[in-house]
Amino acid sequence: MRKPIALLGEYTPTFPPHVSTDAAIEHVRNFLDIDITAQWVSTEDISQNLFDRYSGIWVAPGSPYKSMEKTLWAIRYARENKVPCFGTCGGFQHIVIEYARNVLDFREAQHAEYDPYASSLFISRLTCSLAGRRMQLDFVPGSQAAEIYGSLSAKEQYYCNFGVNPDYAHLLKQGPLNISGSDAEGEVRVIEHPDHPFFIGTLFVPQARSTPEQPHPLVTAFLGSVGL
Protein backbone atom coordinates (compact mmCIF):
# COMPACT_ATOMS: atom_id res chain seq x y z
CA MET A 1 0.00 0.00 0.00
CA ARG A 2 1.33 3.41 -0.97
CA LYS A 3 2.42 5.56 1.97
CA PRO A 4 0.49 8.81 2.42
CA ILE A 5 1.84 12.34 2.06
CA ALA A 6 2.54 14.39 5.18
CA LEU A 7 1.05 17.90 5.22
CA LEU A 8 3.35 19.69 7.65
CA GLY A 9 1.70 22.56 9.49
CA GLU A 10 -0.70 23.54 12.21
CA TYR A 11 -3.99 22.51 10.62
CA THR A 12 -6.84 24.97 11.09
CA PRO A 13 -10.13 23.95 9.44
CA THR A 14 -11.21 27.59 8.98
CA PHE A 15 -7.92 28.76 7.41
CA PRO A 16 -8.56 29.13 3.64
CA PRO A 17 -5.12 27.85 2.45
CA HIS A 18 -5.58 24.67 4.51
CA VAL A 19 -9.06 24.13 3.11
CA SER A 20 -7.76 24.62 -0.43
CA THR A 21 -4.81 22.28 0.22
CA ASP A 22 -7.15 19.44 1.11
CA ALA A 23 -9.41 20.29 -1.83
CA ALA A 24 -6.57 20.45 -4.35
CA ILE A 25 -5.35 16.98 -3.37
CA GLU A 26 -8.89 15.66 -3.74
CA HIS A 27 -9.17 17.29 -7.16
CA VAL A 28 -6.11 15.36 -8.38
CA ARG A 29 -7.28 12.12 -6.75
CA ASN A 30 -10.63 12.27 -8.52
CA PHE A 31 -9.41 13.66 -11.83
CA LEU A 32 -6.72 11.01 -12.27
CA ASP A 33 -8.59 8.30 -10.34
CA ILE A 34 -5.64 7.51 -8.10
CA ASP A 35 -5.47 6.14 -4.59
CA ILE A 36 -3.27 8.52 -2.62
CA THR A 37 -3.92 10.04 0.78
CA ALA A 38 -2.56 12.95 2.79
CA GLN A 39 -2.41 13.46 6.53
CA TRP A 40 -1.82 16.63 8.51
CA VAL A 41 1.14 16.46 10.88
CA SER A 42 1.77 19.25 13.37
CA THR A 43 5.36 20.42 13.17
CA GLU A 44 5.81 19.69 16.88
CA ASP A 45 4.98 16.04 16.11
CA ILE A 46 7.64 15.62 13.43
CA SER A 47 9.87 12.73 14.48
CA GLN A 48 12.91 10.89 13.17
CA ASN A 49 10.68 8.18 11.68
CA LEU A 50 8.57 10.66 9.68
CA PHE A 51 9.84 9.33 6.37
CA ASP A 52 9.22 5.74 7.37
CA ARG A 53 5.53 6.62 7.37
CA TYR A 54 5.22 9.18 4.56
CA SER A 55 6.24 9.20 0.92
CA GLY A 56 6.61 12.97 0.58
CA ILE A 57 6.02 16.24 2.42
CA TRP A 58 4.00 19.31 1.61
CA VAL A 59 5.12 22.13 3.91
CA ALA A 60 1.91 24.07 4.19
CA PRO A 61 0.99 27.74 4.69
CA GLY A 62 0.24 28.99 8.17
CA SER A 63 3.50 29.89 9.88
CA PRO A 64 4.87 30.52 12.41
CA TYR A 65 5.02 26.80 13.02
CA LYS A 66 5.11 25.26 16.47
CA SER A 67 8.56 23.84 15.71
CA MET A 68 10.68 25.63 13.17
CA GLU A 69 13.66 23.37 13.89
CA LYS A 70 11.75 20.14 13.29
CA THR A 71 10.32 21.58 10.07
CA LEU A 72 13.79 22.52 8.85
CA TRP A 73 15.02 19.01 9.71
CA ALA A 74 12.25 17.47 7.59
CA ILE A 75 13.01 19.78 4.65
CA ARG A 76 16.71 18.98 4.88
CA TYR A 77 16.07 15.25 4.99
CA ALA A 78 13.81 15.48 1.95
CA ARG A 79 16.37 17.57 0.06
CA GLU A 80 19.32 15.32 0.84
CA ASN A 81 17.49 12.04 0.30
CA LYS A 82 15.49 13.05 -2.78
CA VAL A 83 12.12 12.71 -1.10
CA PRO A 84 9.45 14.80 -2.86
CA CYS A 85 9.04 18.12 -1.08
CA PHE A 86 6.57 20.88 -1.90
CA GLY A 87 6.48 24.15 0.02
CA THR A 88 3.82 26.81 -0.49
CA CYS A 89 3.68 30.25 1.17
CA GLY A 90 5.17 29.59 4.63
CA GLY A 91 6.59 26.33 3.31
CA PHE A 92 8.50 28.24 0.61
CA GLN A 93 9.90 30.56 3.25
CA HIS A 94 11.18 27.67 5.36
CA ILE A 95 12.77 25.98 2.35
CA VAL A 96 14.75 29.20 1.89
CA ILE A 97 15.85 29.22 5.53
CA GLU A 98 16.90 25.54 5.47
CA TYR A 99 18.88 26.12 2.29
CA ALA A 100 20.57 29.24 3.64
CA ARG A 101 21.60 27.48 6.83
CA ASN A 102 22.66 24.08 5.56
CA VAL A 103 23.85 24.69 2.00
CA LEU A 104 25.00 28.31 1.94
CA ASP A 105 26.33 27.95 5.51
CA PHE A 106 24.55 30.97 6.95
CA ARG A 107 23.94 29.21 10.26
CA GLU A 108 22.13 32.21 11.71
CA ALA A 109 19.76 32.62 8.75
CA GLN A 110 16.41 33.62 10.16
CA HIS A 111 12.78 34.41 9.39
CA ALA A 112 11.40 37.79 10.52
CA GLU A 113 8.19 36.17 11.75
CA TYR A 114 10.22 34.37 14.42
CA ASP A 115 12.96 36.94 15.08
CA PRO A 116 12.47 40.31 13.37
CA TYR A 117 15.76 41.66 14.75
CA ALA A 118 18.00 38.80 13.63
CA SER A 119 21.25 39.72 11.90
CA SER A 120 20.72 37.45 8.87
CA LEU A 121 17.10 37.86 7.81
CA PHE A 122 16.72 35.81 4.66
CA ILE A 123 12.94 36.09 5.02
CA SER A 124 11.63 39.57 5.81
CA ARG A 125 8.25 41.25 6.06
CA LEU A 126 7.04 42.37 2.64
CA THR A 127 6.85 46.12 2.12
CA CYS A 128 3.38 45.55 0.73
CA SER A 129 1.37 42.52 1.84
CA LEU A 130 0.44 40.07 -0.90
CA ALA A 131 -2.39 38.49 1.09
CA GLY A 132 -5.43 38.04 -1.12
CA ARG A 133 -3.72 39.34 -4.25
CA ARG A 134 -3.49 37.55 -7.58
CA MET A 135 -0.40 38.50 -9.53
CA GLN A 136 1.51 37.75 -12.71
CA LEU A 137 4.75 35.77 -12.59
CA ASP A 138 7.25 34.61 -15.18
CA PHE A 139 9.17 31.34 -15.30
CA VAL A 140 12.72 30.71 -16.44
CA PRO A 141 12.74 28.85 -19.79
CA GLY A 142 13.72 25.22 -19.32
CA SER A 143 12.95 25.21 -15.61
CA GLN A 144 10.94 22.43 -14.03
CA ALA A 145 8.25 24.97 -13.14
CA ALA A 146 7.93 26.11 -16.76
CA GLU A 147 7.70 22.51 -17.92
CA ILE A 148 5.02 21.69 -15.35
CA TYR A 149 2.94 24.70 -16.34
CA GLY A 150 3.61 24.27 -20.05
CA SER A 151 4.00 28.05 -20.12
CA LEU A 152 6.44 30.81 -19.28
CA SER A 153 3.90 32.81 -17.29
CA ALA A 154 0.91 32.44 -14.99
CA LYS A 155 -1.26 34.36 -12.57
CA GLU A 156 -1.36 33.03 -9.04
CA GLN A 157 -2.91 33.94 -5.71
CA TYR A 158 -0.95 34.89 -2.58
CA TYR A 159 -1.71 34.69 1.11
CA CYS A 160 1.47 36.00 2.67
CA ASN A 161 3.11 38.93 4.43
CA PHE A 162 6.69 37.65 4.24
CA GLY A 163 9.07 36.84 1.40
CA VAL A 164 12.73 36.64 0.40
CA ASN A 165 14.64 39.63 1.71
CA PRO A 166 15.81 41.52 -1.42
CA ASP A 167 19.15 42.19 0.30
CA TYR A 168 19.81 38.44 0.43
CA ALA A 169 18.25 37.29 -2.84
CA HIS A 170 21.57 37.29 -4.68
CA LEU A 171 22.98 34.81 -2.18
CA LEU A 172 20.38 32.22 -3.14
CA LYS A 173 22.04 32.03 -6.54
CA GLN A 174 25.35 30.86 -5.08
CA GLY A 175 24.31 27.22 -4.69
CA PRO A 176 22.47 24.57 -6.70
CA LEU A 177 18.96 25.86 -5.89
CA ASN A 178 17.42 27.67 -8.85
CA ILE A 179 15.20 30.72 -8.81
CA SER A 180 12.75 29.64 -11.50
CA GLY A 181 9.91 32.13 -11.10
CA SER A 182 9.73 35.87 -10.38
CA ASP A 183 7.13 38.61 -10.36
CA ALA A 184 7.10 41.70 -12.57
CA GLU A 185 9.62 43.44 -10.28
CA GLY A 186 11.97 40.45 -10.35
CA GLU A 187 11.20 39.36 -6.78
CA VAL A 188 11.72 35.64 -6.03
CA ARG A 189 8.47 33.69 -6.20
CA VAL A 190 9.47 30.11 -7.20
CA ILE A 191 12.53 28.07 -6.27
CA GLU A 192 13.47 24.54 -7.28
CA HIS A 193 16.28 22.04 -6.90
CA PRO A 194 17.45 20.80 -10.32
CA ASP A 195 18.88 17.48 -9.10
CA HIS A 196 15.75 16.24 -7.37
CA PRO A 197 12.56 14.44 -8.44
CA PHE A 198 10.44 17.23 -6.91
CA PHE A 199 11.75 19.95 -4.63
CA ILE A 200 9.80 23.13 -5.34
CA GLY A 201 8.75 26.09 -3.25
CA THR A 202 6.27 28.79 -4.24
CA LEU A 203 5.53 31.97 -2.31
CA PHE A 204 2.03 31.86 -3.77
CA VAL A 205 -0.62 29.27 -2.93
CA PRO A 206 -1.27 27.28 -6.13
CA GLN A 207 -3.83 25.13 -4.34
CA ALA A 208 -6.15 28.16 -4.22
CA ARG A 209 -6.53 28.02 -8.00
CA SER A 210 -7.21 24.29 -8.27
CA THR A 211 -10.65 23.11 -9.38
CA PRO A 212 -12.25 19.69 -9.84
CA GLU A 213 -12.23 20.24 -13.60
CA GLN A 214 -8.68 21.60 -13.70
CA PRO A 215 -6.48 20.39 -10.84
CA HIS A 216 -3.49 22.66 -10.41
CA PRO A 217 -0.48 21.41 -12.43
CA LEU A 218 1.94 21.86 -9.54
CA VAL A 219 -0.19 19.77 -7.21
CA THR A 220 -0.58 17.15 -9.92
CA ALA A 221 3.17 17.07 -10.51
CA PHE A 222 3.90 16.81 -6.80
CA LEU A 223 1.54 13.88 -6.34
CA GLY A 224 2.99 12.32 -9.47
CA SER A 225 6.47 12.52 -7.99
CA VAL A 226 5.48 10.34 -5.04
CA GLY A 227 4.63 7.44 -7.31
CA LEU A 228 1.43 7.78 -9.33
Side-chain angles (χ1 to χ4, degrees), residues 34 39 48 67 76 86 99-100 103 113 117 120 123 130 136 153 156 169 189 198 209 223 228:
I34 57 169
Q39 297 173 359
Q48 296 291 316
S67 177
R76 181 175 186 173
F86 192 22
Y99 182 74
V103 178
E113 197 169 23
Y117 304 108
S120 297
I123 298 296
L130 297 179
Q136 180 81 17
S153 65
E156 293 289 1
R189 298 295 181 248
F198 193 100
R209 197 166 61 81
L223 295 181
L228 299 188

Side-chain angles (χ1 to χ4, degrees), residues 171-189:
L171 296 173
L172 297 181
K173 302 176 183 179
Q174 295 182 1
L177 198 72
N178 289 334
I179 296 171
S180 55
S182 305
D183 68 6
E185 286 74 43
E187 300 291 342
V188 181
R189 298 295 181 248

